[in-house]
Amino acid sequence: MAKPLTDQDKRKQISVRGLAGVENVADLKTNFNRHLHFTLVKDRNVATKRDYYFALANTVRDHLVGRWIRTQQHYYEKDPKRVYYLSLEFYMGRALQNTMVNLGLENACDEATYQLGLDMEELQDIEEDAGLGNGGLGRLAACFLDSMASLGLAAYGYGIRYEFGIFNQKIMNGWQVEEADDWLRYGNPWEKARPEYMRPVHFYGRVEHTAEGVKWVDTQVVLALPYDTPVPGYRNNIVNTMRLWSAKAPCEFNLKDFNVGGYIQAVLDRNLAENISRVLYPNDNFFEGKELRLKQEYFVVAATLQDIIRRFKASKFGSTEFVRMDLSTMPDKVAIQLNDTHPALAIPELMRLLVDNEKLTWEKAWDIVVRTCAYTNHTVLPEALERWPVDLFQNLLPRHLEIIYEINRRHMERIGKLYPGDFDRMRRMSLIEEGDVKKINMAHLCIVGSHAVNGVARIHSEIIKDTVFKDFYDVDPQKFQNKTNGITPRRWLVMCNPGLAEIIAERIGEDYIRDLDQLKKLLNFVNDDSFIRDVAKVKQENKLKFSAHLEEQYKVKINPNSMFDVQVKRIHEYKRQLLNCLHIITLYNRIRKEPSKPWTPRTIMIGGKAAPGYHTAKMIIKLITSIGDIVNNDPVVGDRLKVIFLENYRVTLAEKIIPASDLSEQISTAGTEASGTGNMKFMLNGALTIGTMDGANVEMAEEAGEQNLFIFGMRVHEVEALDKKGYDAVSYYNRIPELKQAIDQISGGFFSPAQPGLFKDLVNMLMNHDRFKVFADYEEYIKCQDKVSALYKNPKEWTKKVIYNIAGCGKFSSDRTISQYAREIWGIEPSLEKIAAPDDPR
């Protein structure tokens, strides 16, 4: 039974959490009470927990606003090149604790709330996650914002303020059920509406070619209302901005031409326009060609580009007069990074603004666009690539279709000159795919319209050049780069694992928090018994804390001395949660066969959301919960094996589970996971990795030493060879008795006695059309898991490997990633300088 931490344990002062000076604490208490008073004076006289949370959030926010204003003034004075990170997703999680960490206020706030008789952790739990993302791509954007601010870049995140973020996942009778994420229900203290920067966005209409140029007329207008959220850098007094657009119908919407008696309906129809920012599409690595999604993509791009050009032209802080009328210098002052193809319309939209509005020649405009834009590719899965039907464009964005056709005409002319008569190559490279329905290939648009194209891990960037975009690499090799992903050590170490951050700081100082390469110094402590003991102790404390959380939230008791074996990520066939299931069943069968053997006890936890329309992924969740029902209730097994499905996996749950994990499962088929970033979070938090040579796992093995990870399975070239030869799942089934037993149990209803045929489709897929070759890696995976179990029995040797892993994490800071984007794509130099705080003399 996990014993709860005492008040004293919870509140021990941790140096990496900042100083709790007496004046500091007194000021915080005063401001807290002031905010609480103004909250309550309005209508109530008894404070709720939520009132206390809002008072604390507003107190902390007060420390941001002066720095925020000063940062923006600083940018106007220095006039640096600005970076615009365009993304349809920003998976931010909670803001309160992260803000306290980056401002060095955590200890002071903890002391202040304690003196006021409140528990800060309890107040933090009231904040809703800002779940405006699906997974890796959206969370990467959030880590990048943190690093850009911490490196002093004049950067802006631009996206959509979805009223409903990623759905909340409930598990009912073992099945996923979705419910709407009404995250703004109680208000959001971290955002500030900026109606003065409202922008019109046009849809539909038609194109007129006149003597004065091209006009896009008879359009429907939707207004984009910006909401700004502060993004604090780590203790450098810089606060950048994330600007998210919300859709508003204009006042005259549908009213100018409504028929008699249509007034009420006209007002109700305003919802149609405002639906654009209603809800995040919940697909990860899957393209769904819906008109509303295309509207969202154009909406964010059109509003953002107006803002970019306004800011480029404006002269002084707070001034409305334009001084820079010559747009040819734009690439020297503006960098636009496209987070996947979702904001690809930035390319034709910027062309439209430059050619139609600013009256530049096509050639001049195109030069500006290409030098300004850069594109990050996030996946090679064909079902994830965006291909929009031409007729959807014709209707919704007729001018953009014309522009894309002209971009393609010139592109095809160039390819035709380089490869005369090679019509097959021209067909492959065209932005327009011919077929039953003509489609626009958005990745091709991005490559042609950008000066830099990058993958997100070394192996992924090589795959792009060798396969999917090989034709483009052949003509423009200089465009292609690698930028291996990273994670922010502020949220993913200092904030979520203060115990580990502290014992590291005791050995090598605190500077590693802004310069993660310094973790290499821990190599000096690999054989230091006291450090080994400390690392193991912190892990055990984190496990106890998570065990208590699990008991409280889900009423499940787990053995905190078991190995915590964790796979948390979106549910997808390529991520091979099914391979994990086969290991669970194999382990279960072995324990039942020889119950008296000294098995290494495991608690296997799997968590993640399935896209609501992805039937196979939902069946995988049902299989996991069904296996759990059998395994967890078998008295022969006892507490040597438990299977838990972690409900509603999200940023806030990741912050709890990752520091408590022993084993990280990163088991995608080689060549399918572009990078992964969860893998890095586990590594930084003292878990060992079992994984394939895929994505960033390859570089993790290189940094920590391959002998310090559990690497198994086919390499990319072996997967390709097996594809050529033809993958025959049945042959593995017939050759490997333990595999056959597991599959027969699944298909025979052993795990679903009430519905014996429940999983027949899943088994049929594995046996006859498994694109991700689960059986091909089964044998090596099981053998590798046996090695994991053996090493876990030797805690000292296990912990030494953990230390090698933590010491090898430096490369995987998003500070390193962003420094490379800055120098190699955006043409700017990062800086670790602090700027003056608002209360300092200037």
Side-chain angles (χ1 to χ4, degrees):
M1 157 97 188
K3 66 173 199 310
L5 295 172
T6 65
D7 230 22
Q8 215 39 53
D9 286 333
K10 252 196 250 179
R11 297 196 55 263
K12 63 174 178 226
Q13 293 288 313
I14 289 168
S15 70
V16 291
R17 292 185 155 190
L19 296 164
V22 182
E23 303 86 351
N24 228 344
V25 173
D27 285 350
L28 286 167
K29 283 164 71 178
T30 305
N31 289 324
F32 179 93
N33 282 318
R34 181 171 54 87
H35 280 295
L36 189 63
H37 172 75
F38 284 118
T39 307
L40 293 180
V41 84
K42 291 197 283 258
D43 52 5
R44 296 190 307 285
N45 42 27
V46 180
T48 64
K49 282 262 154 67
R50 179 163 279 105
D51 293 322
Y52 291 130
Y53 159 69
F54 275 102
L56 179 56
N58 284 305
T59 303
V60 171
R61 187 171 155 274
D62 288 343
H63 288 256
L64 280 171
V65 288
R67 290 174 170 88
W68 199 4
I69 292 164
R70 181 165 284 201
T71 300
Q72 302 311 312
Q73 280 172 337
H74 173 76
Y75 292 155
Y76 270 93
E77 288 159 15
K78 292 269 186 286
D79 193 33
K81 183 169 182 177
R82 289 170 158 84
V83 176
Y84 296 98
Y85 196 83
L86 268 63
S87 180
L88 267 88
E89 303 185 22
F90 286 95
Y91 203 173
M92 303 293 285
R94 290 173 176 167
L96 175 56
Q97 195 184 357
N98 185 247
T99 304
M100 293 189 298
V101 164
N102 280 12
L103 296 185
L105 286 172
E106 215 178 352
N107 274 334
C109 287
D110 189 51
E111 185 57 37
T113 50
Y114 180 73
Q115 288 181 20
L116 292 165
L118 299 166
D119 176 351
M120 192 164 74
E121 251 187 85
E122 231 172 87
L123 300 187
Q124 285 167 180
D125 273 332
I126 289 164
E127 183 176 357
E128 299 275 356
D129 273 42
L132 308 184
N134 277 287
L137 172 149
R139 184 53 237 175
L140 186 77
C143 283
F144 280 4
L145 292 183
D146 181 272
S147 286
M148 290 188 292
S150 296
L151 291 170
L153 304 183
Y156 302 76
Y158 272 94
I160 295 175
R161 181 180 177 266
Y162 301 108
E163 196 176 320
F164 296 92
I166 187 64
F167 61 86
N168 284 313
Q169 179 193 57
K170 289 272 189 286
I171 301 297
M172 295 172 87
N173 319 315
W175 297 94
Q176 167 176 297
V177 177
E178 301 87 23
E179 63 177 37
D181 165 42
D182 192 5
W183 71 292
L184 294 168
R185 181 173 52 238
Y186 298 106
N188 175 5
W190 304 104
E191 68 182 9
K192 175 82 184 80
R194 306 298 300 277
E196 67 273 27
Y197 292 117
M198 190 125 60
R199 296 282 171 256
V201 176
H202 298 262
F203 293 102
Y204 304 108
R206 55 193 174 78
V207 181
E208 281 181 357
H209 291 262
T210 71
E212 304 90 77
V214 183
K215 299 215 164 73
W216 180 19
V217 297
D218 297 340
T219 55
Q220 293 181 24
V221 176
V222 177
L223 300 176
L225 170 63
Y227 285 78
D228 287 357
T229 299
V231 179
Y234 183 70
R235 301 188 191 181
N236 61 357
N237 295 319
I238 284 179
V239 181
N240 284 344
T241 302
M242 174 176 67
R243 177 163 285 180
L244 302 181
W245 301 99
S246 185
K248 271 303 254 163
C251 292
E252 65 286 10
F253 186 80
N254 269 10
L255 286 175
K256 48 197 175 304
D257 48 13
F258 77 86
N259 43 350
V260 181
Y263 164 71
I264 295 289
Q265 196 53 48
V267 174
L268 297 184
D269 284 346
R270 293 169 58 86
N271 275 320
L272 273 42
E274 295 173 0
N275 276 337
I276 290 173
S277 57
R278 195 79 67 204
V279 60
L280 169 73
Y281 272 84
N283 303 316
D284 188 72
N285 276 300
F286 185 78
F287 170 61
E288 189 177 357
K290 294 283 196 285
E291 185 184 43
L292 181 60
R293 171 67 174 195
L294 186 58
K295 279 184 176 168
Q296 289 181 338
E297 292 184 354
Y298 180 62
F299 176 74
V300 65
V301 153
T304 300
L305 280 169
Q306 291 178 66
D307 225 23
I308 290 173
I309 287 172
R310 172 193 60 77
R311 200 177 281 117
F312 170 77
K313 288 180 172 180
S315 55
K316 293 188 285 294
F317 187 61
S319 159
T320 51
E321 60 188 290
F322 290 160
V323 290
R324 258 198 293 247
M325 297 312 292
D326 177 13
L327 286 157
S328 62
T329 61
M330 197 160 135
D332 304 324
K333 289 295 178 187
V334 173
I336 294 173
Q337 191 68 35
L338 306 175
N339 194 24
D340 213 315
T341 57
H342 313 148
L345 287 167
I347 290 164
E349 173 66 4
L350 186 51
M351 281 302 284
R352 186 185 72 83
L353 293 170
L354 295 177
V355 174
D356 296 359
N357 294 17
E358 303 288 339
K359 308 297 184 197
L360 271 64
T361 65
W362 182 278
E363 291 71 19
K364 186 70 215 159
W366 184 245
D367 175 66
I368 292 170
V369 168
V370 172
R371 287 168 54 215
T372 301
C373 295
Y375 157 57
T376 302
N377 172 272
H378 283 272
T379 182
V380 295
L381 294 181
E383 63 268 37
L385 297 178
E386 292 196 292
R387 297 179 167 96
W388 288 104
V390 162
D391 48 26
L392 205 58
F393 258 84
Q394 185 62 259
N395 182 35
L396 189 71
L397 300 168
R399 178 55 179 148
H400 297 78
L401 183 60
E402 290 186 347
I403 290 168
I404 288 167
Y405 277 148
E406 178 60 15
I407 292 170
N408 195 46
R409 187 188 67 75
R410 290 166 182 251
H411 166 56
M412 287 289 92
E413 197 173 86
R414 177 183 175 220
I415 301 306
K417 285 196 182 116
L418 287 169
Y419 299 94
D422 192 344
F423 298 114
D424 193 55
R425 180 181 299 260
M426 289 178 71
R427 179 191 55 73
R428 292 195 311 266
M429 293 184 76
S430 176
L431 308 191
I432 313 295
E433 296 181 355
E434 304 291 342
D436 292 349
V437 274
K438 279 172 63 166
K439 291 183 173 168
I440 303 170
N441 185 312
M442 301 303 267
H444 291 182
L445 173 61
C446 284
I447 296 168
V448 172
S450 297
H451 70 281
V453 175
N454 74 281
V456 290
R458 192 205 300 135
I459 188 175
H460 167 61
S461 298
E462 292 302 320
I463 287 169
I464 278 174
K465 295 189 294 189
D466 295 343
T467 60
V468 263
F469 302 145
K470 181 179 192 304
D471 293 326
F472 293 90
Y473 176 67
D474 289 344
V475 300
D476 282 315
Q478 76 292 338
K479 276 190 183 183
F480 288 78
Q481 304 190 16
N482 173 242
K483 296 286 169 278
T484 299
N485 283 163
I487 58 174
T488 170
R490 273 73 64 179
R491 183 176 294 265
W492 296 111
L493 179 58
V494 178
M495 185 183 122
C496 71
N497 201 344
L500 182 57
E502 183 68 359
I503 63 166
I504 293 171
E506 283 168 7
R507 304 313 196 282
I508 67 171
E510 271 182 54
D511 282 356
Y512 75 89
I513 298 168
R514 6 163 99 71
D515 176 16
L516 208 63
D517 276 323
Q518 293 191 28
L519 288 177
K520 281 196 175 60
K521 295 177 184 172
L522 292 177
L523 290 174
N524 300 322
F525 297 90
V526 169
N527 295 303
D528 178 317
D529 283 339
S530 92
F531 188 59
I532 292 170
R533 259 198 313 277
D534 282 352
V535 170
K537 178 166 169 279
V538 166
K539 179 62 70 179
Q540 198 52 36
E541 284 169 359
N542 291 339
K543 288 173 73 173
L544 283 165
K545 187 170 181 180
F546 189 72
S547 301
H549 169 78
L550 227 46
E551 244 176 79
E552 187 193 341
Q553 298 289 304
Y554 304 106
K555 312 289 171 244
V556 273
K557 276 198 169 47
I558 56 173
N559 172 9
N561 298 311
S562 62
M563 182 200 309
F564 284 14
D565 170 347
V566 180
Q567 185 178 24
V568 284
K569 50 186 71 241
R570 286 295 289 258
I571 310 294
H572 201 297
E573 288 159 85
Y574 87 83
K575 294 177 187 281
R576 297 202 296 190
Q577 282 91 356
L578 285 169
L579 183 57
N580 195 341
C581 288
L582 292 177
H583 172 247
I584 297 172
I585 296 170
T586 302
L587 203 52
Y588 173 67
N589 289 331
R590 287 178 178 183
I591 294 170
R592 287 209 309 162
K593 193 175 169 193
E594 304 184 78
S596 54
K597 260 184 90 168
W599 301 100
T600 303
R602 291 199 192 213
T603 302
I604 301 177
M605 299 181 242
I606 304 178
K609 291 172 183 175
Y614 189 175
H615 176 254
T616 303
K618 291 188 143 179
M619 287 308 300
I620 291 170
I621 291 175
K622 179 60 175 170
L623 176 63
I624 297 163
T625 56
S626 302
I627 293 169
D629 287 340
I630 298 297
V631 171
N632 298 347
N633 294 301
D634 190 327
V636 177
V637 173
D639 67 359
R640 290 176 293 187
L641 181 60
K642 289 282 181 242
V643 179
I644 311 276
F645 186 84
L646 295 169
E647 193 177 292
N648 203 30
Y649 180 65
R650 60 200 186 283
V651 173
T652 294
L653 187 55
E655 291 162 3
K656 293 175 163 68
I657 181 66
I658 291 172
S661 301
D662 292 307
L663 185 68
S664 161
E665 301 263 359
Q666 308 296 337
I667 58 180
S668 55
T669 312
T672 63
E673 188 74 88
S675 167
T677 44
N679 48 2
M680 302 166 188
K681 292 165 194 172
F682 281 101
M683 182 181 185
L684 183 57
N685 280 279
L688 296 186
T689 301
I690 183 166
T692 51
M693 278 297 201
D694 197 20
N697 297 356
V698 177
E699 291 159 83
M700 285 163 52
E702 194 174 293
E703 295 296 304
E706 197 174 324
Q707 69 282 8
N708 295 312
L709 281 78
F710 297 96
I711 298 291
F712 73 94
M714 297 177 288
R715 309 305 201 248
V716 169
H717 65 94
E718 296 171 302
V719 175
E720 287 168 354
L722 187 52
D723 272 324
K724 276 201 190 72
K725 181 186 133 199
Y727 167 64
D728 174 19
V730 178
S731 66
Y732 296 92
Y733 169 85
N734 288 324
R735 196 182 75 246
I736 308 166
E738 285 186 305
L739 173 60
K740 181 178 192 301
Q741 181 186 9
I743 292 297
D744 290 350
Q745 286 170 312
I746 296 170
S747 68
F750 181 89
F751 296 104
S752 54
Q755 299 166 267
L758 185 59
F759 300 116
K760 65 177 187 313
D761 289 356
L762 228 37
V763 170
N764 178 52
M765 180 274 290
L766 285 171
M767 298 288 277
N768 300 305
H769 37 87
D770 175 11
R771 295 165 57 204
F772 303 105
K773 306 177 178 62
V774 169
F775 293 1
D777 279 340
Y778 169 82
E779 237 177 336
E780 262 203 68
Y781 180 53
I782 300 298
K783 285 190 184 128
C784 198
Q785 286 282 19
D786 292 342
K787 285 188 202 158
V788 173
S789 289
L791 185 67
Y792 194 74
K793 283 195 167 12
N794 184 343
K796 189 168 180 180
E797 289 309 307
W798 179 280
T799 306
K800 282 186 184 183
K801 284 200 192 292
V802 165
I803 295 166
Y804 277 114
N805 272 271
I806 297 170
C809 273
K811 177 177 185 177
F812 306 108
S813 170
S814 47
D815 296 345
R816 186 269 317 153
T817 310
I818 287 298
S819 297
Q820 290 183 327
Y821 276 94
R823 295 187 178 115
E824 298 163 26
I825 297 179
W826 304 330
I828 52 182
E829 199 45 45
S831 146
L832 288 174
E833 258 179 88
K834 282 175 88 156
I835 64 168
D839 37 18
D840 294 348
R842 304 226 28 200

XYZ file of all heavy atoms in Angstrom, residues 410-420 422 425-426 429 471-472 475:
158
model
N 4.799 26.976 -63.605
C 6.208 27.382 -63.626
C 7.120 26.262 -63.102
O 8.227 26.050 -63.621
C 6.392 28.665 -62.806
C 5.756 29.880 -63.485
C 5.637 31.061 -62.521
N 4.991 32.200 -63.159
C 5.636 33.336 -63.488
N 6.926 33.476 -63.256
N 4.967 34.319 -64.069
N 6.646 25.566 -62.079
C 7.391 24.427 -61.510
C 7.563 23.328 -62.574
O 8.676 22.818 -62.774
C 6.621 23.927 -60.279
C 7.034 22.583 -59.773
N 8.334 22.268 -59.408
C 6.301 21.449 -59.547
C 8.376 21.004 -58.982
N 7.167 20.497 -59.066
N 6.498 22.998 -63.272
C 6.553 21.960 -64.307
C 7.454 22.383 -65.468
O 8.156 21.563 -66.063
C 5.142 21.655 -64.826
C 4.264 20.873 -63.854
S 4.744 19.139 -63.635
C 5.841 19.216 -62.240
N 7.439 23.681 -65.771
C 8.304 24.216 -66.834
C 9.777 23.985 -66.468
O 10.579 23.557 -67.295
C 8.013 25.711 -66.993
C 8.505 26.344 -68.277
C 8.007 27.785 -68.394
O 8.693 28.685 -67.852
O 6.932 27.998 -68.983
N 10.088 24.231 -65.190
C 11.473 24.044 -64.722
C 11.869 22.565 -64.785
O 12.965 22.218 -65.262
C 11.604 24.569 -63.287
C 12.985 24.347 -62.706
C 13.115 24.796 -61.247
N 14.446 24.434 -60.747
C 14.664 23.956 -59.523
N 13.658 23.779 -58.677
N 15.888 23.652 -59.147
N 11.004 21.680 -64.316
C 11.317 20.250 -64.313
C 11.448 19.745 -65.754
O 12.334 18.945 -66.064
C 10.232 19.444 -63.549
C 10.110 19.929 -62.088
C 10.543 17.939 -63.571
C 11.405 19.931 -61.303
N 10.549 20.254 -66.625
C 10.598 19.861 -68.036
C 11.924 20.228 -68.693
O 12.442 19.490 -69.530
N 12.498 21.377 -68.310
C 13.791 21.794 -68.863
C 14.924 20.918 -68.314
O 15.880 20.604 -69.029
C 14.063 23.262 -68.514
C 13.246 24.249 -69.338
C 13.832 25.665 -69.231
C 12.970 26.667 -70.020
N 12.346 27.673 -69.131
N 14.809 20.552 -66.997
C 15.871 19.742 -66.382
C 15.834 18.293 -66.878
O 16.868 17.634 -66.961
C 15.728 19.771 -64.848
C 16.121 21.075 -64.141
C 15.676 21.061 -62.687
C 17.638 21.292 -64.214
N 14.618 17.790 -67.158
C 14.460 16.387 -67.554
C 13.568 16.310 -68.802
O 12.413 15.902 -68.711
C 13.822 15.574 -66.426
C 14.628 15.537 -65.151
C 14.387 16.455 -64.125
C 15.636 14.588 -64.959
C 15.128 16.428 -62.946
C 16.372 14.544 -63.787
C 16.118 15.471 -62.781
O 16.848 15.428 -61.623
N 14.095 16.729 -69.946
C 13.250 16.777 -71.150
C 12.634 15.407 -71.454
O 13.324 14.393 -71.422
C 14.242 17.196 -72.249
C 15.400 17.802 -71.537
C 15.486 17.106 -70.215
N 10.773 13.517 -69.695
C 10.520 12.600 -68.567
C 9.152 12.911 -67.955
O 9.043 13.519 -66.888
C 11.641 12.742 -67.526
C 11.617 11.624 -66.478
O 10.574 10.939 -66.376
O 12.618 11.459 -65.761
N 8.264 11.564 -64.443
C 8.801 12.384 -63.350
C 7.934 13.633 -63.143
O 7.652 14.025 -62.006
C 10.254 12.787 -63.643
C 10.885 13.639 -62.551
C 12.313 14.018 -62.897
N 13.153 12.842 -63.045
C 13.979 12.399 -62.081
N 14.049 13.026 -60.932
N 14.722 11.337 -62.294
N 7.495 14.246 -64.244
C 6.655 15.442 -64.119
C 5.333 15.095 -63.426
O 4.868 15.847 -62.564
C 6.411 16.070 -65.497
C 7.664 16.732 -66.051
S 7.435 17.426 -67.683
C 6.401 18.829 -67.323
N 5.981 14.718 -59.729
C 6.372 15.942 -59.019
C 5.321 17.049 -59.069
O 5.466 18.068 -58.391
C 7.697 16.478 -59.579
C 8.876 15.568 -59.292
S 10.423 16.284 -59.863
C 10.726 17.527 -58.598
N 12.453 12.820 -55.692
C 12.488 13.622 -56.922
C 12.824 15.084 -56.620
O 13.541 15.737 -57.377
C 11.126 13.559 -57.638
C 10.831 12.158 -58.175
O 11.781 11.464 -58.578
O 9.641 11.777 -58.187
N 12.295 15.593 -55.509
C 12.523 16.994 -55.125
C 13.952 17.175 -54.611
O 14.591 18.195 -54.871
C 11.495 17.443 -54.091
C 10.100 17.513 -54.633
C 9.257 16.404 -54.573
C 9.628 18.669 -55.241
C 7.976 16.461 -55.085
C 8.344 18.734 -55.764
C 7.515 17.628 -55.685
N 16.453 17.619 -57.467
C 16.570 18.926 -58.128
C 16.989 20.038 -57.174
O 17.591 21.019 -57.602
C 15.261 19.336 -58.866
C 14.915 18.314 -59.936
C 14.115 19.530 -57.912
